[in-house]
Amino acid sequence: ADDGERLWDGKKDLLKQMRKLMQPLPKFLRQTQANQQEILGSPEFWFARSGAGAKAHMDGHCESTLTLQLAGRKKWRLSWPPSISNGSFAKDGLLADGEPYQAKGGWTPTHVVTLEPGEALLIPPAFVHESKNVGPEACAPSLTFQFADPAAAGFFRHFYPRLRRLGDFNECWERVSALATFDRSQNGLAARLKQLASTSIAKLSKLESADGASSELASAVLQATK
């Protein structure tokens, strides 16, 4: 988006207007400063003429992507991270633009969806994806942005056997490590554990004080924390 702003030859602050229009953020996105910076710092406009689009590829970043169809119709084909045989490792670049088509047996998408104007698609990290303008319009503009929180922690855990063999996923291991240990630093870990403890105690207090919902476990835990 910042590169586009430098190329913009008009007098309006295009990026600032775009960031303003994107707020308030959807409720499912955590409203932390870091997450807002990630979201508002990553918007991209994509303009695809009839029959054009992005070749199948996997993005190297660890964030999920949300794409919003502004006009026209765009067909998306997606697939799970590929399965790599035991004892082997896929080098970085295996899933670069257009490379999935070169795989033995070609590329077989597992999900196909066509976005109409006003519709959106969530693309998890490490998903192979392809897009194509399939509408009658000469151009099918869309807006995409990435978000880090909520993280795709369950996805990373479930597909770990595949992701650990993908070179295109290499830059994400620090992020995965932080998720697995709450944080890489002891200070961060202590803060996160304290936050979890406070949240748990608050929930137990609510349970204990609810009419007819007295809990012996809640009473014991609350007594131990006094």
Side-chain angles (χ1 to χ4, degrees), residues 142-207:
S142 60
L143 170 70
T144 70
F145 64 86
Q146 284 78 47
F147 62 88
D149 202 355
F155 173 81
F156 293 149
R157 184 184 301 111
H158 184 80
F159 281 95
Y160 173 75
R162 298 189 183 189
L163 298 174
R164 69 191 181 96
R165 295 190 175 97
L166 280 179
D168 290 282
F169 192 72
N170 278 346
E171 74 173 65
C172 296
W173 290 119
E174 184 174 346
R175 171 69 169 156
V176 172
S177 174
L179 289 170
T181 61
F182 296 117
D183 197 293
R184 298 199 70 202
S185 66
Q186 282 301 113
N187 291 335
L189 175 59
R192 179 60 175 153
L193 289 174
K194 184 177 181 180
Q195 179 187 17
L196 288 172
S198 298
T199 301
S200 299
I201 291 173
K203 289 181 178 180
L204 287 170
S205 298
K206 185 176 180 180
L207 177 64

Short mmCIF file of all heavy atoms in Angstrom, two decimals, residues 142-207:
data_model
loop_
_atom_site.label_atom_id
_atom_site.label_comp_id
_atom_site.label_asym_id
_atom_site.label_seq_id
_atom_site.Cartn_x
_atom_site.Cartn_y
_atom_site.Cartn_z
N SER A 142 -10.31 -5.61 -5.97
CA SER A 142 -10.49 -6.18 -4.64
C SER A 142 -9.50 -5.54 -3.68
O SER A 142 -8.49 -4.96 -4.10
CB SER A 142 -10.32 -7.70 -4.65
OG SER A 142 -9.03 -8.05 -5.11
N LEU A 143 -9.79 -5.66 -2.40
CA LEU A 143 -8.92 -5.14 -1.35
C LEU A 143 -8.52 -6.30 -0.45
O LEU A 143 -9.37 -7.08 -0.03
CB LEU A 143 -9.64 -4.07 -0.53
CG LEU A 143 -8.94 -3.60 0.74
CD1 LEU A 143 -7.69 -2.78 0.39
CD2 LEU A 143 -9.88 -2.76 1.61
N THR A 144 -7.24 -6.44 -0.17
CA THR A 144 -6.78 -7.48 0.75
C THR A 144 -5.97 -6.86 1.88
O THR A 144 -5.34 -5.82 1.72
CB THR A 144 -5.90 -8.54 0.05
OG1 THR A 144 -4.65 -7.96 -0.31
CG2 THR A 144 -6.59 -9.09 -1.18
N PHE A 145 -5.99 -7.52 3.03
CA PHE A 145 -5.12 -7.13 4.14
C PHE A 145 -4.85 -8.35 4.99
O PHE A 145 -5.59 -9.34 4.95
CB PHE A 145 -5.73 -5.99 4.97
CG PHE A 145 -7.00 -6.32 5.69
CD1 PHE A 145 -6.98 -6.92 6.94
CD2 PHE A 145 -8.23 -6.03 5.11
CE1 PHE A 145 -8.16 -7.22 7.61
CE2 PHE A 145 -9.42 -6.33 5.77
CZ PHE A 145 -9.38 -6.92 7.02
N GLN A 146 -3.76 -8.30 5.76
CA GLN A 146 -3.38 -9.40 6.65
C GLN A 146 -3.66 -9.02 8.10
O GLN A 146 -3.63 -7.85 8.46
CB GLN A 146 -1.90 -9.74 6.49
CG GLN A 146 -1.56 -10.53 5.24
CD GLN A 146 -1.51 -9.65 4.00
OE1 GLN A 146 -0.91 -8.57 4.01
NE2 GLN A 146 -2.13 -10.09 2.92
N PHE A 147 -3.90 -10.03 8.93
CA PHE A 147 -4.02 -9.81 10.37
C PHE A 147 -3.32 -10.94 11.10
O PHE A 147 -3.30 -12.09 10.65
CB PHE A 147 -5.49 -9.69 10.80
CG PHE A 147 -6.32 -10.91 10.56
CD1 PHE A 147 -6.40 -11.93 11.52
CD2 PHE A 147 -7.04 -11.06 9.39
CE1 PHE A 147 -7.18 -13.06 11.31
CE2 PHE A 147 -7.82 -12.19 9.17
CZ PHE A 147 -7.89 -13.19 10.12
N ALA A 148 -2.72 -10.60 12.24
CA ALA A 148 -1.94 -11.57 13.02
C ALA A 148 -2.72 -12.15 14.19
O ALA A 148 -2.36 -13.21 14.70
CB ALA A 148 -0.67 -10.90 13.54
N ASP A 149 -3.77 -11.47 14.61
CA ASP A 149 -4.47 -11.87 15.82
C ASP A 149 -5.98 -11.72 15.62
O ASP A 149 -6.44 -10.61 15.33
CB ASP A 149 -4.01 -10.99 16.99
CG ASP A 149 -4.25 -11.62 18.34
OD1 ASP A 149 -4.87 -12.70 18.38
OD2 ASP A 149 -3.83 -11.04 19.35
N PRO A 150 -6.77 -12.79 15.68
CA PRO A 150 -6.39 -14.11 16.19
C PRO A 150 -5.48 -14.88 15.24
O PRO A 150 -5.64 -14.83 14.02
CB PRO A 150 -7.74 -14.83 16.35
CG PRO A 150 -8.65 -14.14 15.39
CD PRO A 150 -8.22 -12.72 15.36
N ALA A 151 -4.53 -15.58 15.85
CA ALA A 151 -3.57 -16.37 15.08
C ALA A 151 -4.19 -17.72 14.71
O ALA A 151 -5.10 -18.21 15.38
CB ALA A 151 -2.31 -16.59 15.90
N ALA A 152 -3.65 -18.32 13.65
CA ALA A 152 -4.16 -19.62 13.19
C ALA A 152 -3.48 -20.75 13.97
O ALA A 152 -2.94 -21.70 13.38
CB ALA A 152 -3.92 -19.77 11.69
N ALA A 153 -3.50 -20.67 15.30
CA ALA A 153 -2.76 -21.61 16.15
C ALA A 153 -3.23 -23.05 15.95
O ALA A 153 -2.42 -23.97 15.85
CB ALA A 153 -2.89 -21.20 17.61
N GLY A 154 -4.54 -23.26 15.92
CA GLY A 154 -5.07 -24.60 15.73
C GLY A 154 -4.69 -25.17 14.37
O GLY A 154 -4.39 -26.36 14.25
N PHE A 155 -4.67 -24.32 13.37
CA PHE A 155 -4.27 -24.72 12.02
C PHE A 155 -2.80 -25.15 12.01
O PHE A 155 -2.44 -26.18 11.44
CB PHE A 155 -4.51 -23.56 11.05
CG PHE A 155 -4.00 -23.78 9.66
CD1 PHE A 155 -4.72 -24.53 8.74
CD2 PHE A 155 -2.80 -23.25 9.26
CE1 PHE A 155 -4.26 -24.73 7.45
CE2 PHE A 155 -2.31 -23.44 7.98
CZ PHE A 155 -3.05 -24.19 7.07
N PHE A 156 -1.95 -24.33 12.64
CA PHE A 156 -0.52 -24.66 12.71
C PHE A 156 -0.31 -26.01 13.40
O PHE A 156 0.51 -26.82 12.98
CB PHE A 156 0.25 -23.57 13.46
CG PHE A 156 0.30 -22.25 12.74
CD1 PHE A 156 0.35 -21.06 13.47
CD2 PHE A 156 0.30 -22.17 11.36
CE1 PHE A 156 0.41 -19.84 12.82
CE2 PHE A 156 0.36 -20.96 10.70
CZ PHE A 156 0.40 -19.79 11.43
N ARG A 157 -1.06 -26.22 14.49
CA ARG A 157 -0.90 -27.46 15.26
C ARG A 157 -1.34 -28.67 14.43
O ARG A 157 -0.64 -29.69 14.39
CB ARG A 157 -1.72 -27.39 16.55
CG ARG A 157 -1.55 -28.59 17.47
CD ARG A 157 -2.46 -28.51 18.69
NE ARG A 157 -2.19 -27.32 19.48
CZ ARG A 157 -3.02 -26.29 19.58
NH1 ARG A 157 -4.17 -26.29 18.94
NH2 ARG A 157 -2.73 -25.25 20.33
N HIS A 158 -2.48 -28.55 13.78
CA HIS A 158 -3.02 -29.67 13.03
C HIS A 158 -2.15 -30.04 11.83
O HIS A 158 -1.96 -31.23 11.52
CB HIS A 158 -4.44 -29.34 12.54
CG HIS A 158 -5.12 -30.47 11.83
ND1 HIS A 158 -5.73 -31.51 12.50
CD2 HIS A 158 -5.28 -30.73 10.51
CE1 HIS A 158 -6.23 -32.37 11.62
NE2 HIS A 158 -5.98 -31.92 10.40
N PHE A 159 -1.59 -29.03 11.16
CA PHE A 159 -0.82 -29.29 9.94
C PHE A 159 0.69 -29.26 10.16
O PHE A 159 1.45 -29.21 9.20
CB PHE A 159 -1.20 -28.27 8.85
CG PHE A 159 -2.48 -28.60 8.16
CD1 PHE A 159 -3.68 -28.02 8.58
CD2 PHE A 159 -2.53 -29.52 7.13
CE1 PHE A 159 -4.87 -28.34 7.96
CE2 PHE A 159 -3.72 -29.84 6.50
CZ PHE A 159 -4.90 -29.24 6.92
N TYR A 160 1.09 -29.34 11.43
CA TYR A 160 2.53 -29.35 11.72
C TYR A 160 3.30 -30.40 10.94
O TYR A 160 4.39 -30.11 10.40
CB TYR A 160 2.75 -29.52 13.23
CG TYR A 160 4.19 -29.71 13.60
CD1 TYR A 160 5.09 -28.63 13.59
CD2 TYR A 160 4.68 -30.97 13.94
CE1 TYR A 160 6.41 -28.81 13.91
CE2 TYR A 160 6.02 -31.15 14.26
CZ TYR A 160 6.88 -30.07 14.25
OH TYR A 160 8.20 -30.26 14.56
N PRO A 161 2.79 -31.66 10.81
CA PRO A 161 3.54 -32.68 10.06
C PRO A 161 3.84 -32.25 8.61
O PRO A 161 4.84 -32.68 8.03
CB PRO A 161 2.62 -33.90 10.10
CG PRO A 161 1.83 -33.72 11.36
CD PRO A 161 1.58 -32.23 11.42
N ARG A 162 2.99 -31.43 8.04
CA ARG A 162 3.22 -30.95 6.67
C ARG A 162 4.08 -29.68 6.66
O ARG A 162 5.03 -29.56 5.88
CB ARG A 162 1.90 -30.65 5.96
CG ARG A 162 0.99 -31.86 5.79
CD ARG A 162 -0.20 -31.51 4.90
NE ARG A 162 -1.13 -32.62 4.77
CZ ARG A 162 -2.15 -32.66 3.93
NH1 ARG A 162 -2.36 -31.63 3.13
NH2 ARG A 162 -2.94 -33.70 3.88
N LEU A 163 3.74 -28.75 7.54
CA LEU A 163 4.42 -27.46 7.54
C LEU A 163 5.90 -27.58 7.86
O LEU A 163 6.73 -26.82 7.35
CB LEU A 163 3.74 -26.52 8.55
CG LEU A 163 2.27 -26.18 8.27
CD1 LEU A 163 1.68 -25.36 9.41
CD2 LEU A 163 2.13 -25.43 6.95
N ARG A 164 6.27 -28.54 8.71
CA ARG A 164 7.67 -28.66 9.11
C ARG A 164 8.57 -29.10 7.96
O ARG A 164 9.80 -29.01 8.05
CB ARG A 164 7.82 -29.62 10.29
CG ARG A 164 7.54 -31.08 9.99
CD ARG A 164 7.45 -31.89 11.27
NE ARG A 164 7.19 -33.31 11.03
CZ ARG A 164 8.14 -34.24 10.97
NH1 ARG A 164 9.41 -33.88 11.12
NH2 ARG A 164 7.83 -35.49 10.76
N ARG A 165 7.98 -29.56 6.87
CA ARG A 165 8.76 -30.00 5.71
C ARG A 165 8.69 -29.00 4.55
O ARG A 165 9.18 -29.28 3.47
CB ARG A 165 8.28 -31.37 5.23
CG ARG A 165 8.50 -32.50 6.23
CD ARG A 165 8.23 -33.85 5.58
NE ARG A 165 8.55 -34.94 6.50
CZ ARG A 165 7.64 -35.56 7.26
NH1 ARG A 165 6.38 -35.20 7.20
NH2 ARG A 165 7.99 -36.54 8.07
N LEU A 166 8.07 -27.84 4.80
CA LEU A 166 7.90 -26.84 3.74
C LEU A 166 8.88 -25.69 3.92
O LEU A 166 8.79 -24.94 4.89
CB LEU A 166 6.46 -26.30 3.74
CG LEU A 166 5.38 -27.15 3.07
CD1 LEU A 166 4.03 -26.45 3.21
CD2 LEU A 166 5.71 -27.37 1.61
N GLY A 167 9.80 -25.53 2.99
CA GLY A 167 10.75 -24.41 3.06
C GLY A 167 10.06 -23.07 2.97
O GLY A 167 10.52 -22.08 3.54
N ASP A 168 8.92 -23.00 2.26
CA ASP A 168 8.19 -21.74 2.12
C ASP A 168 7.56 -21.27 3.43
O ASP A 168 7.07 -20.15 3.51
CB ASP A 168 7.09 -21.89 1.06
CG ASP A 168 7.65 -22.02 -0.34
OD1 ASP A 168 8.06 -21.00 -0.92
OD2 ASP A 168 7.72 -23.16 -0.86
N PHE A 169 7.58 -22.12 4.44
CA PHE A 169 7.00 -21.78 5.74
C PHE A 169 8.08 -21.36 6.74
O PHE A 169 7.78 -21.06 7.88
CB PHE A 169 6.22 -22.99 6.28
CG PHE A 169 5.35 -22.70 7.46
CD1 PHE A 169 4.18 -21.97 7.33
CD2 PHE A 169 5.70 -23.17 8.72
CE1 PHE A 169 3.37 -21.70 8.44
CE2 PHE A 169 4.89 -22.92 9.83
CZ PHE A 169 3.73 -22.18 9.68
N ASN A 170 9.32 -21.32 6.32
CA ASN A 170 10.44 -21.13 7.24
C ASN A 170 10.35 -19.87 8.10
O ASN A 170 10.71 -19.89 9.28
CB ASN A 170 11.77 -21.11 6.48
CG ASN A 170 12.26 -22.52 6.17
OD1 ASN A 170 11.77 -23.49 6.74
ND2 ASN A 170 13.21 -22.64 5.26
N GLU A 171 9.88 -18.77 7.54
CA GLU A 171 9.88 -17.52 8.31
C GLU A 171 8.85 -17.51 9.43
O GLU A 171 8.81 -16.59 10.24
CB GLU A 171 9.64 -16.32 7.39
CG GLU A 171 8.24 -16.14 6.90
CD GLU A 171 8.04 -14.84 6.15
OE1 GLU A 171 8.64 -14.65 5.08
OE2 GLU A 171 7.29 -13.99 6.66
N CYS A 172 8.03 -18.55 9.50
CA CYS A 172 6.96 -18.58 10.49
C CYS A 172 7.31 -19.32 11.78
O CYS A 172 6.53 -19.31 12.73
CB CYS A 172 5.71 -19.24 9.89
SG CYS A 172 5.00 -18.31 8.51
N TRP A 173 8.48 -19.96 11.83
CA TRP A 173 8.76 -20.79 12.99
C TRP A 173 8.92 -19.98 14.27
O TRP A 173 8.57 -20.45 15.36
CB TRP A 173 9.99 -21.66 12.75
CG TRP A 173 9.70 -22.73 11.75
CD1 TRP A 173 10.29 -22.94 10.55
CD2 TRP A 173 8.69 -23.74 11.86
NE1 TRP A 173 9.72 -24.01 9.90
CE2 TRP A 173 8.73 -24.53 10.69
CE3 TRP A 173 7.75 -24.08 12.84
CZ2 TRP A 173 7.87 -25.59 10.46
CZ3 TRP A 173 6.89 -25.14 12.62
CH2 TRP A 173 6.97 -25.89 11.44
N GLU A 174 9.42 -18.78 14.17
CA GLU A 174 9.53 -17.94 15.37
C GLU A 174 8.15 -17.62 15.91
O GLU A 174 7.91 -17.63 17.12
CB GLU A 174 10.30 -16.66 15.04
CG GLU A 174 10.54 -15.78 16.27
CD GLU A 174 11.43 -14.59 15.96
OE1 GLU A 174 12.06 -14.57 14.89
OE2 GLU A 174 11.49 -13.68 16.80
N ARG A 175 7.23 -17.34 15.01
CA ARG A 175 5.85 -17.05 15.40
C ARG A 175 5.20 -18.29 16.03
O ARG A 175 4.54 -18.20 17.07
CB ARG A 175 5.06 -16.61 14.16
CG ARG A 175 3.56 -16.46 14.34
CD ARG A 175 3.22 -15.31 15.23
NE ARG A 175 1.80 -15.02 15.19
CZ ARG A 175 1.14 -14.39 16.15
NH1 ARG A 175 1.78 -13.98 17.23
NH2 ARG A 175 -0.14 -14.15 16.04
N VAL A 176 5.40 -19.45 15.43
CA VAL A 176 4.83 -20.69 15.96
C VAL A 176 5.42 -21.00 17.33
O VAL A 176 4.71 -21.42 18.26
CB VAL A 176 5.09 -21.86 14.99
CG1 VAL A 176 4.67 -23.19 15.62
CG2 VAL A 176 4.33 -21.64 13.68
N SER A 177 6.72 -20.76 17.49
CA SER A 177 7.38 -20.99 18.78
C SER A 177 6.78 -20.10 19.86
O SER A 177 6.55 -20.54 20.99
CB SER A 177 8.89 -20.72 18.65
OG SER A 177 9.53 -20.80 19.90
N ALA A 178 6.52 -18.84 19.52
CA ALA A 178 5.94 -17.92 20.49
C ALA A 178 4.54 -18.37 20.90
O ALA A 178 4.15 -18.26 22.06
CB ALA A 178 5.90 -16.51 19.90
N LEU A 179 3.78 -18.89 19.94
CA LEU A 179 2.43 -19.38 20.26
C LEU A 179 2.49 -20.61 21.16
O LEU A 179 1.69 -20.76 22.08
CB LEU A 179 1.69 -19.72 18.96
CG LEU A 179 1.27 -18.56 18.07
CD1 LEU A 179 0.77 -19.07 16.72
CD2 LEU A 179 0.18 -17.73 18.75
N ALA A 180 3.45 -21.48 20.89
CA ALA A 180 3.55 -22.73 21.66
C ALA A 180 4.01 -22.50 23.09
O ALA A 180 3.69 -23.29 23.98
CB ALA A 180 4.51 -23.69 20.95
N THR A 181 4.75 -21.42 23.32
CA THR A 181 5.30 -21.16 24.66
C THR A 181 4.74 -19.88 25.27
O THR A 181 5.28 -19.38 26.25
CB THR A 181 6.83 -21.04 24.59
OG1 THR A 181 7.18 -19.95 23.72
CG2 THR A 181 7.45 -22.32 24.06
N PHE A 182 3.65 -19.36 24.68
CA PHE A 182 3.02 -18.10 25.07
C PHE A 182 3.87 -16.91 24.66
O PHE A 182 3.38 -15.86 24.32
CB PHE A 182 2.73 -18.03 26.58
CG PHE A 182 1.73 -19.06 27.02
CD1 PHE A 182 2.09 -20.04 27.91
CD2 PHE A 182 0.44 -19.04 26.54
CE1 PHE A 182 1.18 -21.00 28.31
CE2 PHE A 182 -0.48 -19.98 26.95
CZ PHE A 182 -0.11 -20.97 27.84
N ASP A 183 5.18 -17.04 24.74
CA ASP A 183 6.09 -15.96 24.36
C ASP A 183 7.50 -16.52 24.41
O ASP A 183 7.79 -17.46 25.15
CB ASP A 183 5.96 -14.76 25.32
CG ASP A 183 6.56 -13.50 24.73
OD1 ASP A 183 7.79 -13.45 24.56
OD2 ASP A 183 5.79 -12.57 24.42
N ARG A 184 8.39 -15.94 23.66
CA ARG A 184 9.78 -16.44 23.65
C ARG A 184 10.55 -15.98 24.88
O ARG A 184 11.52 -16.60 25.28
CB ARG A 184 10.49 -15.96 22.39
CG ARG A 184 9.87 -16.47 21.10
CD ARG A 184 10.83 -16.38 19.96
NE ARG A 184 11.88 -17.35 20.11
CZ ARG A 184 13.07 -17.26 19.53
NH1 ARG A 184 13.35 -16.23 18.79
NH2 ARG A 184 13.99 -18.18 19.71
N SER A 185 10.19 -14.85 25.46
CA SER A 185 10.93 -14.33 26.60
C SER A 185 10.24 -14.71 27.91
O SER A 185 9.04 -14.91 27.96
CB SER A 185 11.03 -12.80 26.52
OG SER A 185 9.75 -12.21 26.65
N GLN A 186 11.01 -14.81 28.98
CA GLN A 186 10.45 -15.14 30.28
C GLN A 186 9.49 -14.06 30.74
O GLN A 186 8.46 -14.34 31.35
CB GLN A 186 11.58 -15.31 31.29
CG GLN A 186 12.29 -16.64 31.20
CD GLN A 186 11.36 -17.82 31.41
OE1 GLN A 186 11.12 -18.59 30.49
NE2 GLN A 186 10.82 -17.96 32.59
N ASN A 187 9.82 -12.79 30.46
CA ASN A 187 8.94 -11.70 30.87
C ASN A 187 7.59 -11.83 30.20
O ASN A 187 6.53 -11.66 30.81
CB ASN A 187 9.57 -10.34 30.54
CG ASN A 187 10.79 -10.05 31.41
OD1 ASN A 187 10.91 -10.59 32.51
ND2 ASN A 187 11.68 -9.22 30.91
N GLY A 188 7.62 -12.11 28.91
CA GLY A 188 6.38 -12.27 28.17
C GLY A 188 5.59 -13.46 28.65
O GLY A 188 4.36 -13.42 28.77
N LEU A 189 6.27 -14.54 28.96
CA LEU A 189 5.62 -15.75 29.44
C LEU A 189 4.96 -15.49 30.79
O LEU A 189 3.81 -15.87 31.01
CB LEU A 189 6.64 -16.88 29.56
CG LEU A 189 6.12 -18.20 30.17
CD1 LEU A 189 4.98 -18.74 29.33
CD2 LEU A 189 7.25 -19.22 30.24
N ALA A 190 5.67 -14.82 31.68
CA ALA A 190 5.12 -14.52 33.01
C ALA A 190 3.88 -13.64 32.89
O ALA A 190 2.88 -13.86 33.58
CB ALA A 190 6.19 -13.84 33.87
N ALA A 191 3.96 -12.64 32.01
CA ALA A 191 2.82 -11.73 31.83
C ALA A 191 1.61 -12.47 31.27
O ALA A 191 0.47 -12.26 31.70
CB ALA A 191 3.21 -10.58 30.90
N ARG A 192 1.86 -13.36 30.33
CA ARG A 192 0.76 -14.11 29.72
C ARG A 192 0.13 -15.06 30.73
O ARG A 192 -1.09 -15.18 30.82
CB ARG A 192 1.28 -14.90 28.51
CG ARG A 192 0.22 -15.75 27.81
CD ARG A 192 -0.92 -14.92 27.29
NE ARG A 192 -1.86 -15.73 26.54
CZ ARG A 192 -3.15 -15.45 26.41
NH1 ARG A 192 -3.65 -14.37 27.00
NH2 ARG A 192 -3.94 -16.23 25.70
N LEU A 193 0.96 -15.75 31.53
CA LEU A 193 0.43 -16.66 32.55
C LEU A 193 -0.38 -15.90 33.60
O LEU A 193 -1.41 -16.37 34.07
CB LEU A 193 1.58 -17.43 33.21
CG LEU A 193 2.28 -18.48 32.34
CD1 LEU A 193 3.48 -19.06 33.07
CD2 LEU A 193 1.30 -19.58 31.94
N LYS A 194 0.10 -14.71 33.96
CA LYS A 194 -0.62 -13.88 34.93
C LYS A 194 -1.97 -13.48 34.36
O LYS A 194 -2.99 -13.48 35.07
CB LYS A 194 0.21 -12.64 35.27
CG LYS A 194 -0.41 -11.77 36.34
CD LYS A 194 0.50 -10.60 36.67
CE LYS A 194 -0.11 -9.72 37.76
NZ LYS A 194 0.77 -8.57 38.09
N GLN A 195 -1.98 -13.13 33.07
CA GLN A 195 -3.23 -12.75 32.42
C GLN A 195 -4.22 -13.92 32.39
O GLN A 195 -5.40 -13.76 32.68
CB GLN A 195 -2.96 -12.28 30.99
CG GLN A 195 -4.22 -11.89 30.22
CD GLN A 195 -3.94 -11.59 28.76
OE1 GLN A 195 -2.89 -11.94 28.25
NE2 GLN A 195 -4.87 -10.93 28.11
N LEU A 196 -3.71 -15.12 32.06
CA LEU A 196 -4.57 -16.30 32.04
C LEU A 196 -5.12 -16.62 33.42
O LEU A 196 -6.28 -17.00 33.57
CB LEU A 196 -3.79 -17.50 31.49
CG LEU A 196 -3.47 -17.49 29.99
CD1 LEU A 196 -2.53 -18.64 29.65
CD2 LEU A 196 -4.74 -17.59 29.17
N ALA A 197 -4.27 -16.47 34.44
CA ALA A 197 -4.71 -16.74 35.80
C ALA A 197 -5.81 -15.76 36.22
O ALA A 197 -6.81 -16.16 36.82
CB ALA A 197 -3.52 -16.64 36.76
N SER A 198 -5.62 -14.48 35.90
CA SER A 198 -6.62 -13.47 36.25
C SER A 198 -7.95 -13.75 35.56
O SER A 198 -9.03 -13.64 36.16
CB SER A 198 -6.12 -12.07 35.85
OG SER A 198 -4.94 -11.75 36.54
N THR A 199 -7.87 -14.14 34.29
CA THR A 199 -9.09 -14.45 33.54
C THR A 199 -9.81 -15.65 34.14
O THR A 199 -11.04 -15.65 34.30
CB THR A 199 -8.74 -14.76 32.06
OG1 THR A 199 -8.09 -13.63 31.49
CG2 THR A 199 -10.00 -15.07 31.26
N SER A 200 -9.04 -16.68 34.52
CA SER A 200 -9.64 -17.88 35.10
C SER A 200 -10.32 -17.58 36.43
O SER A 200 -11.43 -18.05 36.71
CB SER A 200 -8.58 -18.97 35.28
OG SER A 200 -8.00 -19.33 34.05
N ILE A 201 -9.64 -16.79 37.27
CA ILE A 201 -10.19 -16.43 38.58
C ILE A 201 -11.47 -15.62 38.41
O ILE A 201 -12.45 -15.80 39.14
CB ILE A 201 -9.15 -15.66 39.41
CG1 ILE A 201 -8.01 -16.61 39.80
CG2 ILE A 201 -9.79 -15.05 40.64
CD1 ILE A 201 -6.86 -15.91 40.47
N ALA A 202 -11.48 -14.71 37.43
CA ALA A 202 -12.67 -13.89 37.18
C ALA A 202 -13.85 -14.77 36.77
O ALA A 202 -14.98 -14.57 37.20
CB ALA A 202 -12.37 -12.87 36.09
N LYS A 203 -13.57 -15.78 35.94
CA LYS A 203 -14.64 -16.68 35.50
C LYS A 203 -15.15 -17.53 36.66
O LYS A 203 -16.35 -17.77 36.80
CB LYS A 203 -14.14 -17.58 34.38
CG LYS A 203 -13.92 -16.84 33.06
CD LYS A 203 -13.45 -17.80 31.98
CE LYS A 203 -13.28 -17.05 30.66
NZ LYS A 203 -12.80 -17.95 29.57
N LEU A 204 -14.22 -17.97 37.51
CA LEU A 204 -14.62 -18.76 38.68
C LEU A 204 -15.45 -17.92 39.64
O LEU A 204 -16.42 -18.39 40.23
CB LEU A 204 -13.39 -19.32 39.38
CG LEU A 204 -12.66 -20.47 38.65
CD1 LEU A 204 -11.33 -20.75 39.33
CD2 LEU A 204 -13.53 -21.72 38.63
N SER A 205 -15.07 -16.66 39.81
CA SER A 205 -15.82 -15.77 40.69
C SER A 205 -17.24 -15.58 40.19
O SER A 205 -18.20 -15.57 40.95
CB SER A 205 -15.11 -14.41 40.77
OG SER A 205 -13.82 -14.53 41.31
N LYS A 206 -17.38 -15.45 38.88
CA LYS A 206 -18.70 -15.28 38.28
C LYS A 206 -19.54 -16.53 38.49
O LYS A 206 -20.72 -16.46 38.79
CB LYS A 206 -18.55 -14.98 36.78
CG LYS A 206 -19.86 -14.66 36.08
CD LYS A 206 -19.62 -14.29 34.63
CE LYS A 206 -20.93 -13.96 33.93
NZ LYS A 206 -20.71 -13.59 32.49
N LEU A 207 -18.89 -17.69 38.33
CA LEU A 207 -19.59 -18.96 38.53
C LEU A 207 -20.03 -19.11 39.98
O LEU A 207 -21.14 -19.52 40.28
CB LEU A 207 -18.69 -20.12 38.13
CG LEU A 207 -19.24 -21.54 38.35
CD1 LEU A 207 -20.47 -21.77 37.49
CD2 LEU A 207 -18.17 -22.58 38.04
#
